[in-house]
Every structure is written in structure tokens, then in C-alpha cells.
Amino acid sequence: MQNPTRAICAAALLLAVGATGLPNISSVAYISSARAQEEYLPTEKDFFGKWTLSGSAIRPPRDMTDAPTHEQEATATEFQQTVTAFYGAFDYLEITADGRYNFHQPGDPASGACVWCGTWSFSKSSLWLKLDTAPRLDIYAKDGDIQMTYTAEPDEKSKYAWLVFGWTKAE
């Protein structure tokens, strides 16, 4: 007796969905292969290698409720230029499979001493450098560039939350 009842309920549900929602489903269900490529979720190994700084920008923090003032944007831009100069002083960022990263100075041999280095972790499709500012590295497309954003503030008035850096694979 249960099987015929379930069959009738399922058929009624399908008819109801078909009658009311079918036109809407067809426009939502299709995802192109190009769009699927945009939704790439990287693995740890996608971050391994040498990366060179390719650009930087400022972006208001995501939790900022009011529109930024001209003064806030000017201050963030000035700070971004300082941090960009700092990163620009390094030849490349190296991320290794053994859980370490190293910013290499110009002229350092590949196995050179650690100038500014540390360890990283991988979580939620992002690589996280273990620093006070918790830089988060993301890749949004296969073989794409890294976007570095900061998720922590070393002090109350820090401007790190405004910074975005791009890194391109060197090898």
C-alpha cells in the first residue's frame, strides 16, 4: 500500500513542478564550460613555484559600511605604494611543497638564505601565509595568477585590508 501512495505523491509533485517551474528551470540549469572554468577551485600544488609581483591595487575593505572618503582612499593609496615598493625589492616569491615560502632578494641563489620567509597552510581553496596580517593567496582560473589579500590587521588603524597584490608564475 505504501508504494502506490509514494508513486502518486511523486507524480503529483512532478506535475506541480513541471506546470509552474519548468520555464524557469531551463534558464538557470545550463552552465557553459567557460563559466565552469571561472569557478576553478585550486589545490595546494597550484601554488607551488616561483611568482613575481605583477601589480597592485587598493580596494575598500569588504566590511566597510560607508563609502570611503577621499582622505581614506588617498591614505590607502600611499600605503599601497609603500608596500608595493617593499615587495618589488624581492626577485620573486617561492612557495614550496614542504610548507614553506620565501621572498628572494635579487641575486640570491635559488637555495639562498631566508630573507623574509615562513610557513603556509592551505584551507578553503586558499593558501595562507603565516604572518601577522594573514595574507590569503587565491587563484581563480587554472594556471592563473595569484591574488593576495590580507585578512587580519596587525593594529587598529592598519591599512592592510585595502591592499590587493597580483603575482604571476615565473616558471
Side-chain angles (χ1 to χ4, degrees):
M1 189 71 105
Q2 277 187 332
N3 287 342
T5 305
R6 282 187 186 172
I8 293 169
C9 288
L13 179 61
L14 287 174
L15 285 173
V17 169
T20 60
L22 191 58
N24 295 333
I25 291 174
S26 64
S27 65
V28 174
Y30 176 74
I31 297 176
S32 70
S33 60
R35 172 115 187 250
Q37 186 67 17
E38 291 173 11
E39 296 172 3
Y40 175 72
L41 295 176
T43 63
E44 288 180 20
K45 66 181 180 182
D46 295 318
F47 293 91
F48 300 162
K50 296 177 182 176
W51 300 85
T52 57
L53 183 65
S54 59
S56 62
I58 62 165
R59 175 180 63 207
R62 288 185 175 101
D63 61 351
M64 189 173 206
T65 55
D66 298 328
T69 66
H70 179 69
E71 183 179 317
Q72 287 172 315
E73 287 183 337
T75 302
T77 299
E78 181 181 342
F79 186 64
Q80 176 256 351
Q81 291 169 351
T82 300
V83 178
T84 301
F86 172 77
Y87 283 133
F90 297 104
D91 269 347
Y92 58 91
L93 162 62
E94 183 176 20
I95 300 171
T96 59
D98 66 357
R100 301 195 52 77
Y101 69 86
N102 189 358
F103 288 87
H104 290 268
Q105 284 186 319
D108 280 350
S111 60
C114 174
V115 176
W116 191 50
C117 61
T119 58
W120 57 262
S121 62
F122 185 78
S123 174
K124 299 179 184 174
S125 301
S126 299
L127 193 98
W128 304 77
L129 303 183
K130 294 189 179 173
L131 289 168
D132 290 345
T133 54
R136 174 183 180 162
L137 305 177
D138 290 301
I139 300 175
Y140 294 105
K142 188 166 177 55
D143 300 321
D145 291 347
I146 288 178
Q147 177 179 296
M148 177 191 282
T149 54
Y150 296 88
T151 61
E153 300 287 341
D155 59 33
E156 280 185 44
K157 299 293 182 189
S158 173
K159 300 166 212 87
Y160 279 96
W162 286 76
L163 303 183
V164 179
F165 291 95
W167 299 84
T168 301
K169 194 90 172 219
E171 298 182 344

